Amino acid sequence: SSLANKLGVSAPDIIKKLISLGLMMNLNQVISFENAEIVVLDYGKTLKKSETRDISNFEEYEVIDDEADLVLRPPVITVMGHVDHGKTTLLDYIRKSHVAAGEAGGITQAIGAYQIDYNGSKITFIDTPGHAAFTAMRARGASVTDIVIIVVAADDGVMPQTKEAVEHAISAGVPIVVAVNKMDKPSANPDKIMQEMAELNLTPEAWGGNIPFVNISAVTGFGIDSLLDTVLAIAEVSELKANPNRYAIGTVIETRADKALGSVASILIQNGTLRLGDPIVAGTVYGRIRTLKNDQGVNIISAGPSTPVEITGLNGSPAAGDKFMAFESEKEAKEIAEKREIEAKSQKQKKEVVSFDDLFNKIKGGAKEIKVVLKCDVRGSEEAVKNALEKLSTDEVKIKVIRSGIGGITESDVILANASDAVVIGFNVVPSNITKDVAKEYGVEIRLYQIIYKLVEEMELAMKGMLDPVFEEKVIGHAEIRQIFKASGVGNIAGSYVLDGVMERGCKVRISREGEQIFEGDLASLKRFKDDVKEVKAGFGCGLVFEGFGDFQELDIVEAYTMVEVPR
Ligand code: GDP
């Protein structure tokens, strides 16, 4: 009947037409493309076959939206920084001051993200501060954040998690705004923060860099408007666009199981429009959207790009970071979810630890850069190892330490390495059992060293593996031409005697006459009597044919050589 609507005729008419074609169908059946084409042609129109692609792996499914369909969408922001520097207070302040109390009795419920209206512009905030969620999502291949706000307390300074947050944001390639918080405190020292952040390669705009720093107080609200203005300015430059006129696609932010409602999932729509009743697949589960609520707990019927919503109706709980996509029919959604489930299972079985070499092979094809997450026992060794590694960089292969720190190898190190295609190197430190498990799960190999030169040596070897191989010629033998046979088809055959070494099938040759080279090229065939052979050793006779050369004489000398890969 959707075909009938498009053609502007009644569905029963089409059924009649189909019956006249000998096809018994009812109104709800899905018509095949071929049959639809016949019907459509009958109405004097043509049907454009939509591309049939396997969209079960929709993470990689890239829809090319028509430029005309694209509209600006609100930016999605993640707040990161060290514990107690004020992330939660900031998110709460922004939410309270810019979100109208929910119509559902003023009770706002946390769904992992919220959207504000600021001077007529919408901004979406991911409401789980810290980089655990950010990296967990990145580790699953999800990138939901357009801009990262890094909160640093002005009365404290750059702390380990500040550094981690910076590393994550930089490695994700997301624009960064630094919010220097707690400016209401007498001990606030924003210059010190700028200094310390500049050391992490975040040079403030005020100092000629490209990172905006905004002084704020999440308690008094000081500077927060200018923080939001800054975010909007970046969003404007980024021209974030989406197409509301397509099936929704996005990412799961968090899920919970509810006794009455079943699986409840908070999701962020990244493109398209999600409607009540839409069949969707999220991760490996599926279902029809049974309820759709906005971030204020209000029931809605549809939601567009950059909107966080809470849904029910799925037949299970997807994981945070899983992608979701809406489909035309529940049948299709079910089939795709089932296919994905099977694939996920076999993936799990297949998943092995990526070895050092594998990793380098992986990078080999593309950018020749080795990224390293480095953990050391003491500050002194951290500096020494980092310097030693970075010194290994050549014009062809760069080594980049994307994180270095003191202490045991943590889950966070592994997740960062996974998200950034890096290797984890531990110097006089070890991973905990949990970290080992996580590394195994993500397929990240951890290399442990106690001696710098050993590390340098292995790194060098791995780098050589990444370089294009070097070949060198190796002379394998000499032969003397003693008789010339003319053969139709192959040209002249040099009846030769191997003086030393061997002649090998497929080798290269140089022919010389009285000390002067007259030919260099390939050996086309090697025979003993009438048979093709692999090699002929010294002291034996053989028949040689050269590729494109037959102008040899008796007593010419054939030098045979091969190209061998040599270590650099
Ligand atoms: P989080 O761990 O980064 O989420 O930090 P919280 O938001 O929980 O804040 C940690 C503590 O710092 C709390 O006691 C807050 O009240 C306090 N705090 C946060 N922002 C400010 C601020 O701007 N000024 C002052 N004086 N205290 C703040």
Side-chain angles (χ1 to χ4, degrees):
S1 56
S2 70
L3 178 63
N5 283 336
K6 286 202 180 104
L7 290 171
V9 296
S10 80
D13 274 354
I14 289 190
I15 297 292
K16 268 189 221 143
K17 196 133 262 158
L18 286 168
I19 292 171
S20 75
L21 291 167
L23 291 160
M24 300 300 289
M25 287 189 90
N26 70 37
L27 281 180
N28 301 318
Q29 266 173 301
V30 176
I31 185 167
S32 76
F33 178 78
E34 284 71 24
N35 290 332
E37 200 168 30
I38 295 168
V39 173
V40 172
L41 282 173
D42 219 56
Y43 284 101
K45 296 190 174 142
T46 55
L47 192 62
K48 213 170 91 200
K49 191 166 189 166
S50 62
E51 240 179 287
T52 47
R53 283 198 278 177
D54 180 11
I55 48 172
S56 62
N57 183 9
F58 49 76
E59 283 80 0
E60 324 233 302
Y61 178 77
E62 203 188 335
V63 181
I64 316 292
D65 291 309
D66 214 326
E67 189 64 32
D69 290 331
L70 293 177
V71 296
L72 287 172
R73 64 170 178 82
V76 179
I77 317 297
T78 294
V79 177
M80 302 201 280
H82 195 69
V83 65
D84 278 349
H85 279 198
K87 300 178 294 292
T88 313
T89 312
L90 174 63
L91 280 162
D92 285 349
Y93 185 92
I94 294 173
R95 181 183 183 132
K96 280 202 201 89
S97 49
H98 294 283
V99 174
E103 287 160 44
I107 307 157
T108 54
Q109 53 172 84
I111 67 163
Y114 64 82
Q115 196 174 60
I116 63 163
D117 199 319
Y118 173 70
N119 293 343
S121 299
K122 289 192 162 72
I123 308 176
T124 301
F125 284 89
I126 302 293
D127 203 6
T128 39
H131 51 261
F134 182 77
T135 28
M137 282 200 193
R138 274 195 72 212
R140 302 180 76 87
S143 52
V144 297
T145 307
D146 300 308
I147 299 165
V148 167
I149 295 179
I150 293 181
V151 175
V152 199
D155 64 336
D156 195 357
V158 168
M159 298 299 281
Q161 285 166 292
T162 317
K163 219 175 140 211
E164 286 193 17
V166 171
E167 290 158 352
H168 282 297
I170 289 178
S171 114
V174 180
I176 297 170
V177 179
V178 177
V180 182
N181 191 30
K182 306 199 184 182
M183 284 301 290
D184 57 297
K185 288 202 168 182
S187 52
N189 185 354
D191 287 341
K192 174 176 168 250
I193 307 298
M194 285 207 204
Q195 184 67 52
E196 290 175 352
M197 291 301 261
E199 279 164 23
L200 300 179
N201 287 328
L202 298 187
T203 313
E205 273 179 347
W207 296 2
N210 58 356
I211 306 294
F213 279 59
V214 186
N215 292 343
I216 63 162
S217 166
V219 166
T220 66
F222 161 77
I224 290 185
D225 277 0
S226 89
L227 178 65
L228 297 177
D229 287 334
T230 305
V231 161
L232 283 177
I234 295 174
E236 204 177 308
V237 174
S238 308
E239 282 200 47
L240 308 165
K241 284 181 174 173
N243 171 12
N245 302 316
R246 48 159 296 184
Y247 288 117
I249 190 159
T251 301
V252 174
I253 299 169
E254 56 185 49
T255 53
R256 62 188 167 89
D258 183 287
K259 271 205 188 99
L261 300 168
S263 160
V264 183
S266 298
I267 60 178
L268 177 74
I269 298 158
Q270 292 174 278
N271 202 356
T273 298
L274 188 68
R275 295 185 174 78
L276 204 60
D278 276 354
I280 75 163
V281 176
T284 56
V285 303
Y286 76 99
R288 246 176 214 289
I289 306 284
R290 199 167 58 218
T291 61
L292 186 64
K293 283 183 180 172
N294 67 11
D295 55 353
Q296 297 165 61
V298 178
N299 280 304
I300 52 176
I301 54 166
S302 74
S306 293
T307 316
V309 290
E310 189 181 81
I311 59 162
T312 64
L314 294 173
N315 70 341
S317 285
D322 275 346
K323 277 253 169 214
F324 79 83
M325 183 163 163
F327 290 88
E328 185 160 358
S329 72
E330 191 169 354
K331 182 168 163 274
E332 191 183 6
K334 179 169 188 258
E335 279 169 11
I336 285 175
E338 282 164 359
K339 193 168 166 201
R340 287 167 63 91
E341 168 97 57
I342 293 167
E343 242 154 55
K345 275 197 184 127
S346 74
Q347 281 288 323
K348 214 167 196 168
Q349 282 163 359
K350 260 196 287 185
K351 198 151 195 179
E352 289 167 15
V353 173
V354 180
S355 77
F356 218 40
D357 288 341
D358 285 348
L359 189 65
F360 293 118
N361 282 335
K362 204 164 83 184
I363 328 172
K364 200 171 162 182
K368 298 204 166 178
E369 186 176 75
I370 301 176
K371 292 188 194 140
V372 174
V373 171
L374 174 70
K375 290 305 272 288
C376 300
D377 52 345
V378 291
R379 182 69 63 197
S381 61
E382 182 200 355
E383 286 303 314
V385 174
K386 205 172 151 192
N387 285 339
L389 282 176
E390 285 176 345
K391 256 202 236 126
L392 287 175
S393 286
T394 64
D395 288 344
E396 288 156 300
V397 184
K398 295 261 168 292
I399 296 190
K400 205 165 145 193
V401 179
I402 58 169
R403 165 185 295 173
S404 75
I406 311 299
I409 298 164
T410 64
E411 223 178 304
S412 152
D413 295 329
V414 171
I415 291 172
L416 176 66
N418 177 56
S420 320
D421 270 338
V423 287
V424 179
I425 292 176
F427 191 79
N428 283 328
V429 292
V430 290
S432 68
N433 283 336
I434 295 171
T435 308
K436 276 189 204 153
D437 288 346
V438 176
K440 209 166 184 172
E441 190 191 324
Y442 284 123
V444 170
E445 198 197 1
I446 300 174
R447 302 283 279 208
L448 304 173
Y449 298 90
Q450 278 93 38
I451 312 167
I452 291 191
Y453 88 77
K454 195 84 202 140
L455 161 62
V456 168
E457 196 176 277
E458 286 195 24
M459 206 65 183
E460 268 175 336
L461 284 176
M463 284 172 72
K464 278 172 192 156
M466 290 173 71
L467 298 170
D468 300 325
V470 175
F471 288 95
E472 210 168 63
E473 62 169 74
K474 184 179 149 222
V475 173
I476 55 170
H478 295 88
E480 188 178 74
I481 299 178
R482 297 196 165 166
Q483 215 178 341
I484 296 158
F485 303 97
K486 295 202 188 312
S488 56
V490 288
N492 287 351
I493 302 172
S496 313
Y497 177 81
V498 183
L499 301 170
D500 60 76
V502 289
M503 295 289 116
E504 261 177 34
R505 188 162 71 194
C507 70
K508 294 193 167 284
V509 293
R510 257 187 300 262
I511 303 174
S512 54
R513 184 173 301 156
E514 286 161 14
E516 246 177 73
Q517 184 173 313
I518 52 167
F519 171 76
E520 178 159 18
D522 294 323
L523 181 66
S525 97
L526 176 66
K527 282 188 196 294
R528 239 183 97 61
F529 304 110
K530 288 213 145 53
D531 301 325
D532 281 309
V533 290
K534 262 209 183 109
E535 59 165 40
V536 179
K537 291 202 172 86
F540 292 93
C542 58
L544 306 175
V545 176
F546 310 108
E547 189 73 60
F549 181 73
D551 202 14
F552 39 78
Q553 292 175 8
E554 284 168 21
L555 299 180
D556 284 350
I557 297 293
V558 180
E559 181 172 73
Y561 65 93
T562 54
M563 298 306 291
V564 289
E565 198 178 327
V566 290
R568 277 177 185 254

